[in-house]
Amino acid sequence: MAPSTTPSPDAASAGHPYETLTPDVVLDALATLGLHGDGRLTALNSYENRVYQVYLEDRSAVVVKFYRPGRWSDAAILEEHGFSLELAAAEVPAVPPIAIDGATLHRHGGFAFSVSPYRGGRAPELDDFEVLEWVGRFLARIHGVGARTPFAARPALDLQTFGIASRDWLLGHEMVPLDVQREWETACNTAFEMISATALGTDAQSAEQAMKKLRLHGDVHPGNILWTPTDRPDGGPHFVDLDDARTGFAVQDLWMLLSGDRAQRTGQLSGLLDGYEQFRDFDRRELALIEPLRTLRLIHYSAWLARRWEDPIFPINFPWFGSSDYWKGQIQMLQDQCEAMEEEPLYA
């Protein structure tokens, strides 16, 4: 069964809002800020928002992000901007938006947008211990800034927001085919029972008090770290796309950089933490949250795809989503995750 064709909350009644975001609209938006493109415009890899690299008449390049309508409030977007500006002020290699006439958030054609300097780079080589150590040092510095003050408008990453809310939305909008719905819901509920006993659960207040939450990047995967040659000025890693910045535990910004079998993941974790702990202590108890976090991301990802199905780019790029075979695969992965959550956590 394909996802329902009932419009999602962020879909316009006469087509998706992004259908109106033509190259002319992008260039006109920049022109309202006194930035004039030379006609060269490239769409960058982003599904949640629309992001473009635009060359200006002075031959410099900027990155323009048009935020998905209805996803974040202005207050939440400005918290993202404020966090990235704090990081830049602390000499952490993030890429903050440019303040133009004192503002980082702008509007044109019904869209909220921001402009950032263009920074190139490639994915880091995460099989290199020195690279892992380097990334770990900067993650610690991000968290050092993140621990200063809390987010007020951005949500937490926990069982309720990533797991239960995602399950309930999928079932409430009849996105899971009837022939696998009961089995999928059972797999979710089994996983949630296990997660509820951790610091991510709503009934784990004592654990939450012992393990501190902070502002996070929230989506640290290899695609959001750009690496430049170390023999160049400011070479090494820099972090992009704080769009998923949330409140949570520090391990959230580490676990997505781990891959391979247990021995490989243990080695990668050792490299990250060797760098991390040069700048900040890491609570080893958080390692027990890696598999629960992976499980929540799995369920949240399905809900994310379903919620975005009215955006034409999603059926094109995710044609396999929504069938009974897709959901059977999800059931198996949830069952595998329940087994993984019973295993001893990684240790480094």
PDB file of all heavy atoms in Angstrom, residues 217-239:
ATOM      1  N   HIS A 217      23.827  19.346  18.129  1.00  0.00           N
ATOM      2  CA  HIS A 217      23.678  19.448  16.682  1.00  0.00           C
ATOM      3  C   HIS A 217      22.474  18.622  16.264  1.00  0.00           C
ATOM      4  O   HIS A 217      21.629  19.069  15.487  1.00  0.00           O
ATOM      5  CB  HIS A 217      24.953  18.949  15.994  1.00  0.00           C
ATOM      6  CG  HIS A 217      24.906  19.014  14.493  1.00  0.00           C
ATOM      7  ND1 HIS A 217      24.110  18.187  13.733  1.00  0.00           N
ATOM      8  CD2 HIS A 217      25.576  19.811  13.609  1.00  0.00           C
ATOM      9  CE1 HIS A 217      24.274  18.470  12.445  1.00  0.00           C
ATOM     10  NE2 HIS A 217      25.163  19.458  12.357  1.00  0.00           N
ATOM     11  N   GLY A 218      22.378  17.389  16.767  1.00  0.00           N
ATOM     12  CA  GLY A 218      21.198  16.566  16.589  1.00  0.00           C
ATOM     13  C   GLY A 218      21.227  15.625  15.412  1.00  0.00           C
ATOM     14  O   GLY A 218      20.478  14.637  15.387  1.00  0.00           O
ATOM     15  N   ASP A 219      22.057  15.904  14.400  1.00  0.00           N
ATOM     16  CA  ASP A 219      22.054  15.076  13.188  1.00  0.00           C
ATOM     17  C   ASP A 219      23.471  14.948  12.637  1.00  0.00           C
ATOM     18  O   ASP A 219      23.728  15.224  11.467  1.00  0.00           O
ATOM     19  CB  ASP A 219      21.117  15.692  12.145  1.00  0.00           C
ATOM     20  CG  ASP A 219      20.792  14.740  10.999  1.00  0.00           C
ATOM     21  OD1 ASP A 219      20.804  13.516  11.223  1.00  0.00           O
ATOM     22  OD2 ASP A 219      20.510  15.231   9.886  1.00  0.00           O
ATOM     23  N   VAL A 220      24.388  14.519  13.499  1.00  0.00           N
ATOM     24  CA  VAL A 220      25.794  14.405  13.094  1.00  0.00           C
ATOM     25  C   VAL A 220      26.015  13.062  12.401  1.00  0.00           C
ATOM     26  O   VAL A 220      26.260  12.047  13.030  1.00  0.00           O
ATOM     27  CB  VAL A 220      26.746  14.550  14.300  1.00  0.00           C
ATOM     28  CG1 VAL A 220      28.200  14.411  13.833  1.00  0.00           C
ATOM     29  CG2 VAL A 220      26.553  15.895  14.983  1.00  0.00           C
ATOM     30  N   HIS A 221      25.872  13.078  11.089  1.00  0.00           N
ATOM     31  CA  HIS A 221      26.246  11.933  10.268  1.00  0.00           C
ATOM     32  C   HIS A 221      27.341  12.399   9.306  1.00  0.00           C
ATOM     33  O   HIS A 221      27.600  13.609   9.195  1.00  0.00           O
ATOM     34  CB  HIS A 221      25.032  11.354   9.529  1.00  0.00           C
ATOM     35  CG  HIS A 221      24.307  12.339   8.654  1.00  0.00           C
ATOM     36  ND1 HIS A 221      24.801  12.782   7.446  1.00  0.00           N
ATOM     37  CD2 HIS A 221      23.116  12.970   8.817  1.00  0.00           C
ATOM     38  CE1 HIS A 221      23.958  13.629   6.892  1.00  0.00           C
ATOM     39  NE2 HIS A 221      22.927  13.771   7.716  1.00  0.00           N
ATOM     40  N   PRO A 222      28.012  11.484   8.608  1.00  0.00           N
ATOM     41  CA  PRO A 222      29.153  11.910   7.779  1.00  0.00           C
ATOM     42  C   PRO A 222      28.818  12.981   6.750  1.00  0.00           C
ATOM     43  O   PRO A 222      29.675  13.801   6.410  1.00  0.00           O
ATOM     44  CB  PRO A 222      29.592  10.595   7.108  1.00  0.00           C
ATOM     45  CG  PRO A 222      29.217   9.539   8.096  1.00  0.00           C
ATOM     46  CD  PRO A 222      27.917  10.012   8.694  1.00  0.00           C
ATOM     47  N   GLY A 223      27.564  13.019   6.265  1.00  0.00           N
ATOM     48  CA  GLY A 223      27.194  14.023   5.278  1.00  0.00           C
ATOM     49  C   GLY A 223      27.103  15.424   5.834  1.00  0.00           C
ATOM     50  O   GLY A 223      27.108  16.404   5.070  1.00  0.00           O
ATOM     51  N   ASN A 224      27.024  15.551   7.152  1.00  0.00           N
ATOM     52  CA  ASN A 224      26.943  16.877   7.772  1.00  0.00           C
ATOM     53  C   ASN A 224      28.271  17.338   8.358  1.00  0.00           C
ATOM     54  O   ASN A 224      28.314  18.320   9.106  1.00  0.00           O
ATOM     55  CB  ASN A 224      25.863  16.895   8.855  1.00  0.00           C
ATOM     56  CG  ASN A 224      24.474  17.087   8.274  1.00  0.00           C
ATOM     57  OD1 ASN A 224      24.330  17.570   7.155  1.00  0.00           O
ATOM     58  ND2 ASN A 224      23.451  16.696   9.016  1.00  0.00           N
ATOM     59  N   ILE A 225      29.337  16.610   8.031  1.00  0.00           N
ATOM     60  CA  ILE A 225      30.695  17.045   8.366  1.00  0.00           C
ATOM     61  C   ILE A 225      31.453  17.183   7.054  1.00  0.00           C
ATOM     62  O   ILE A 225      31.559  16.221   6.295  1.00  0.00           O
ATOM     63  CB  ILE A 225      31.423  16.042   9.276  1.00  0.00           C
ATOM     64  CG1 ILE A 225      30.634  15.790  10.559  1.00  0.00           C
ATOM     65  CG2 ILE A 225      32.822  16.555   9.612  1.00  0.00           C
ATOM     66  CD1 ILE A 225      31.236  14.712  11.436  1.00  0.00           C
ATOM     67  N   LEU A 226      31.947  18.359   6.783  1.00  0.00           N
ATOM     68  CA  LEU A 226      32.745  18.579   5.576  1.00  0.00           C
ATOM     69  C   LEU A 226      34.202  18.731   5.981  1.00  0.00           C
ATOM     70  O   LEU A 226      34.530  19.494   6.884  1.00  0.00           O
ATOM     71  CB  LEU A 226      32.263  19.824   4.833  1.00  0.00           C
ATOM     72  CG  LEU A 226      30.828  19.762   4.291  1.00  0.00           C
ATOM     73  CD1 LEU A 226      30.469  21.051   3.584  1.00  0.00           C
ATOM     74  CD2 LEU A 226      30.654  18.573   3.362  1.00  0.00           C
ATOM     75  N   TRP A 227      35.060  17.995   5.292  1.00  0.00           N
ATOM     76  CA  TRP A 227      36.480  17.972   5.622  1.00  0.00           C
ATOM     77  C   TRP A 227      37.265  18.682   4.530  1.00  0.00           C
ATOM     78  O   TRP A 227      37.064  18.432   3.344  1.00  0.00           O
ATOM     79  CB  TRP A 227      36.954  16.523   5.744  1.00  0.00           C
ATOM     80  CG  TRP A 227      38.350  16.395   6.279  1.00  0.00           C
ATOM     81  CD1 TRP A 227      39.512  16.456   5.559  1.00  0.00           C
ATOM     82  CD2 TRP A 227      38.729  16.197   7.644  1.00  0.00           C
ATOM     83  NE1 TRP A 227      40.596  16.311   6.393  1.00  0.00           N
ATOM     84  CE2 TRP A 227      40.146  16.155   7.676  1.00  0.00           C
ATOM     85  CE3 TRP A 227      38.021  16.051   8.829  1.00  0.00           C
ATOM     86  CZ2 TRP A 227      40.852  15.958   8.858  1.00  0.00           C
ATOM     87  CZ3 TRP A 227      38.720  15.869   9.994  1.00  0.00           C
ATOM     88  CH2 TRP A 227      40.124  15.823  10.006  1.00  0.00           C
ATOM     89  N   THR A 228      38.153  19.576   4.942  1.00  0.00           N
ATOM     90  CA  THR A 228      39.050  20.238   3.994  1.00  0.00           C
ATOM     91  C   THR A 228      40.482  19.853   4.330  1.00  0.00           C
ATOM     92  O   THR A 228      40.791  19.538   5.486  1.00  0.00           O
ATOM     93  CB  THR A 228      38.881  21.767   4.043  1.00  0.00           C
ATOM     94  OG1 THR A 228      39.063  22.212   5.396  1.00  0.00           O
ATOM     95  CG2 THR A 228      37.502  22.174   3.578  1.00  0.00           C
ATOM     96  N   PRO A 229      41.372  19.845   3.340  1.00  0.00           N
ATOM     97  CA  PRO A 229      42.759  19.424   3.584  1.00  0.00           C
ATOM     98  C   PRO A 229      43.398  20.182   4.734  1.00  0.00           C
ATOM     99  O   PRO A 229      43.239  21.394   4.872  1.00  0.00           O
ATOM    100  CB  PRO A 229      43.458  19.723   2.254  1.00  0.00           C
ATOM    101  CG  PRO A 229      42.369  19.645   1.240  1.00  0.00           C
ATOM    102  CD  PRO A 229      41.145  20.184   1.922  1.00  0.00           C
ATOM    103  N   THR A 230      44.122  19.455   5.548  1.00  0.00           N
ATOM    104  CA  THR A 230      44.688  20.045   6.767  1.00  0.00           C
ATOM    105  C   THR A 230      45.865  20.969   6.489  1.00  0.00           C
ATOM    106  O   THR A 230      46.309  21.683   7.386  1.00  0.00           O
ATOM    107  CB  THR A 230      45.128  18.939   7.731  1.00  0.00           C
ATOM    108  OG1 THR A 230      46.039  18.053   7.063  1.00  0.00           O
ATOM    109  CG2 THR A 230      43.919  18.139   8.193  1.00  0.00           C
ATOM    110  N   ASP A 231      46.373  20.955   5.243  1.00  0.00           N
ATOM    111  CA  ASP A 231      47.473  21.870   4.925  1.00  0.00           C
ATOM    112  C   ASP A 231      46.960  23.236   4.474  1.00  0.00           C
ATOM    113  O   ASP A 231      47.734  24.120   4.134  1.00  0.00           O
ATOM    114  CB  ASP A 231      48.391  21.266   3.862  1.00  0.00           C
ATOM    115  CG  ASP A 231      47.663  20.919   2.565  1.00  0.00           C
ATOM    116  OD1 ASP A 231      46.418  21.041   2.528  1.00  0.00           O
ATOM    117  OD2 ASP A 231      48.340  20.513   1.600  1.00  0.00           O
ATOM    118  N   ARG A 232      45.624  23.401   4.486  1.00  0.00           N
ATOM    119  CA  ARG A 232      45.043  24.694   4.145  1.00  0.00           C
ATOM    120  C   ARG A 232      44.655  25.437   5.422  1.00  0.00           C
ATOM    121  O   ARG A 232      44.445  24.822   6.456  1.00  0.00           O
ATOM    122  CB  ARG A 232      43.796  24.513   3.270  1.00  0.00           C
ATOM    123  CG  ARG A 232      44.063  23.881   1.917  1.00  0.00           C
ATOM    124  CD  ARG A 232      42.768  23.794   1.126  1.00  0.00           C
ATOM    125  NE  ARG A 232      42.965  23.115  -0.149  1.00  0.00           N
ATOM    126  CZ  ARG A 232      41.966  22.849  -1.002  1.00  0.00           C
ATOM    127  NH1 ARG A 232      40.728  23.214  -0.696  1.00  0.00           N
ATOM    128  NH2 ARG A 232      42.223  22.227  -2.142  1.00  0.00           N
ATOM    129  N   PRO A 233      44.542  26.771   5.337  1.00  0.00           N
ATOM    130  CA  PRO A 233      44.066  27.516   6.518  1.00  0.00           C
ATOM    131  C   PRO A 233      42.695  27.012   6.957  1.00  0.00           C
ATOM    132  O   PRO A 233      41.824  26.769   6.118  1.00  0.00           O
ATOM    133  CB  PRO A 233      43.992  28.962   6.006  1.00  0.00           C
ATOM    134  CG  PRO A 233      44.950  29.010   4.858  1.00  0.00           C
ATOM    135  CD  PRO A 233      44.902  27.659   4.218  1.00  0.00           C
ATOM    136  N   ASP A 234      42.521  26.821   8.241  1.00  0.00           N
ATOM    137  CA  ASP A 234      41.256  26.320   8.796  1.00  0.00           C
ATOM    138  C   ASP A 234      40.891  24.948   8.265  1.00  0.00           C
ATOM    139  O   ASP A 234      39.708  24.585   8.188  1.00  0.00           O
ATOM    140  CB  ASP A 234      40.112  27.311   8.529  1.00  0.00           C
ATOM    141  CG  ASP A 234      40.368  28.673   9.139  1.00  0.00           C
ATOM    142  OD1 ASP A 234      40.867  28.727  10.274  1.00  0.00           O
ATOM    143  OD2 ASP A 234      40.077  29.684   8.471  1.00  0.00           O
ATOM    144  N   GLY A 235      41.896  24.169   7.898  1.00  0.00           N
ATOM    145  CA  GLY A 235      41.631  22.821   7.412  1.00  0.00           C
ATOM    146  C   GLY A 235      41.109  21.908   8.509  1.00  0.00           C
ATOM    147  O   GLY A 235      41.217  22.209   9.707  1.00  0.00           O
ATOM    148  N   GLY A 236      40.543  20.783   8.102  1.00  0.00           N
ATOM    149  CA  GLY A 236      39.938  19.857   9.048  1.00  0.00           C
ATOM    150  C   GLY A 236      38.431  19.861   8.896  1.00  0.00           C
ATOM    151  O   GLY A 236      37.900  20.254   7.856  1.00  0.00           O
ATOM    152  N   PRO A 237      37.702  19.435   9.933  1.00  0.00           N
ATOM    153  CA  PRO A 237      36.253  19.332   9.802  1.00  0.00           C
ATOM    154  C   PRO A 237      35.535  20.644  10.074  1.00  0.00           C
ATOM    155  O   PRO A 237      35.995  21.467  10.851  1.00  0.00           O
ATOM    156  CB  PRO A 237      35.885  18.307  10.887  1.00  0.00           C
ATOM    157  CG  PRO A 237      36.918  18.534  11.950  1.00  0.00           C
ATOM    158  CD  PRO A 237      38.180  18.918  11.219  1.00  0.00           C
ATOM    159  N   HIS A 238      34.416  20.841   9.377  1.00  0.00           N
ATOM    160  CA  HIS A 238      33.472  21.856   9.812  1.00  0.00           C
ATOM    161  C   HIS A 238      32.069  21.272   9.687  1.00  0.00           C
ATOM    162  O   HIS A 238      31.807  20.413   8.860  1.00  0.00           O
ATOM    163  CB  HIS A 238      33.636  23.186   9.069  1.00  0.00           C
ATOM    164  CG  HIS A 238      33.511  23.116   7.585  1.00  0.00           C
ATOM    165  ND1 HIS A 238      34.544  22.752   6.768  1.00  0.00           N
ATOM    166  CD2 HIS A 238      32.469  23.377   6.762  1.00  0.00           C
ATOM    167  CE1 HIS A 238      34.165  22.784   5.503  1.00  0.00           C
ATOM    168  NE2 HIS A 238      32.895  23.164   5.469  1.00  0.00           N
ATOM    169  N   PHE A 239      31.191  21.738  10.549  1.00  0.00           N
ATOM    170  CA  PHE A 239      29.872  21.141  10.730  1.00  0.00           C
ATOM    171  C   PHE A 239      28.820  22.016  10.064  1.00  0.00           C
ATOM    172  O   PHE A 239      28.814  23.234  10.225  1.00  0.00           O
ATOM    173  CB  PHE A 239      29.563  20.968  12.220  1.00  0.00           C
ATOM    174  CG  PHE A 239      30.497  20.008  12.909  1.00  0.00           C
ATOM    175  CD1 PHE A 239      31.748  20.435  13.349  1.00  0.00           C
ATOM    176  CD2 PHE A 239      30.156  18.684  13.095  1.00  0.00           C
ATOM    177  CE1 PHE A 239      32.622  19.561  13.967  1.00  0.00           C
ATOM    178  CE2 PHE A 239      31.021  17.804  13.711  1.00  0.00           C
ATOM    179  CZ  PHE A 239      32.265  18.240  14.143  1.00  0.00           C
TER     180      PHE A 239
END
